[in-house]
Amino acid sequence: MLNQIIGTNTVKLTTNDPNTNTRLVRNSETNLGDFVTDAYRIVLSTDVAICNGGAIRNELPMGDFSYNDILTTFPFGNMCVVLEITGQQLLDALEMGAIRYPEEFGGFMQISGATYTINSKIPSSVITDEKGNFIKIDGAYRVQDVKINGKDLDLNKKYTIGGTSYILKFAGNGMTMFKDSPILQNEELSETDVIIEYIQNYLNATIGNKYANPYGQNRITIIK
């Protein structure tokens, strides 16, 4: 079963900068981050989807790839959930994800269905407890210009969000802002099931030029 071919990859889905080979996925957008969040959003039918960079542990090779290759890339056995959240909660999650930029952080948020800007000239004003759990923002947001499907984020509007239970249900990487959100779909599909369904049923078993740029699709802009 592990050797079963799932699909073909015509581009290199990467976690690293192809020019320097330094890791990008924990502080910048990558095409692999775009790919997996697209899988969440499309298969789970949500407005937006997020994935913490620390969840992506390997690159997906070019050519035919197997079930084992997917497990090597996403090794944690995460289950997927769908929540109803407010725009404010999403903004707080993205701000928490940018807390250490330009340093790496496993909670840095790859995203689908939305775009955002990190102004690194603004120091992080995230307040956390002694365990690193989000409490509040006490100052200016460094995350700005958030758009959902091209429209400005409405802080009071309700949106659906897809992702793993690690982040959305169990507050992984300190993401406590989601803890009281209504759960619309509760661990019905595993992360690997969602990814495989996306590849086979939405991409016709071929990952192609849509994901050709290793730096992604300009979903995350960084002001340095």
Side-chain angles (χ1 to χ4, degrees), residues 18-198:
N19 293 314
T20 65
N21 205 38
T22 55
R23 187 164 57 188
L24 281 182
V25 74
R26 297 185 183 205
N27 59 10
S28 298
E29 180 182 355
T30 77
N31 58 356
L32 184 49
D34 287 355
F35 164 79
V36 67
T37 52
D38 281 352
Y40 296 163
R41 179 178 59 84
I42 291 169
V43 173
L44 299 173
S45 298
T46 59
D47 296 318
V48 65
I50 56 175
C51 179
N52 57 310
I56 305 173
R57 286 305 176 97
N58 208 342
E59 302 190 336
L60 198 61
M62 292 183 68
D64 292 345
F65 59 90
S66 66
Y67 184 62
N68 190 60
D69 290 322
I70 292 177
L71 290 178
T72 301
T73 304
F74 303 98
F76 296 109
N78 285 319
M79 300 298 291
C80 288
V81 298
V82 175
L83 305 183
E84 182 182 76
I85 64 166
T86 64
Q88 182 66 60
Q89 288 173 292
L90 177 60
L91 179 61
D92 288 345
L94 298 179
E95 185 73 14
M96 180 68 178
I99 187 173
R100 296 183 191 166
Y101 185 87
E103 296 177 15
E104 290 188 319
F105 177 43
F108 182 88
M109 288 300 166
Q110 305 289 327
I111 200 162
S112 176
T115 58
Y116 68 98
T117 296
I118 299 171
N119 187 344
S120 66
K121 297 178 181 179
I122 298 173
S124 176
S125 58
V126 175
I127 304 298
T128 63
D129 66 17
E130 67 280 359
K131 295 181 179 179
N133 294 312
F134 175 88
I135 296 176
K136 65 179 180 178
I137 309 296
D138 187 26
Y141 281 75
R142 58 192 343 210
V143 170
Q144 303 169 344
D145 194 31
V146 183
K147 297 185 184 297
I148 304 290
N149 196 26
K151 297 181 179 179
D152 289 344
L153 181 72
D154 184 335
L155 298 181
N156 298 309
K157 184 178 178 179
K158 299 291 180 64
Y159 299 95
T160 56
I161 188 169
T164 65
S165 55
Y166 173 71
I167 292 294
L168 297 179
K169 187 177 176 181
F170 300 123
N173 293 126
M175 299 291 171
T176 58
M177 67 289 296
F178 299 123
K179 63 182 179 180
D180 295 321
S181 299
I183 300 175
L184 305 181
Q185 188 179 134
N186 191 8
E187 298 186 322
E188 296 173 14
L189 293 170
S190 72
E191 180 177 52
T192 51
D193 287 340
V194 167
I195 292 166
I196 290 169
E197 182 173 343
Y198 180 58

Side-chain angles (χ1 to χ4, degrees), residues 199-211:
I199 293 166
Q200 295 187 335
N201 296 338
Y202 293 88
L203 299 180
N204 296 318
T206 301
I207 303 172
N209 287 336
K210 176 179 180 181
Y211 299 105

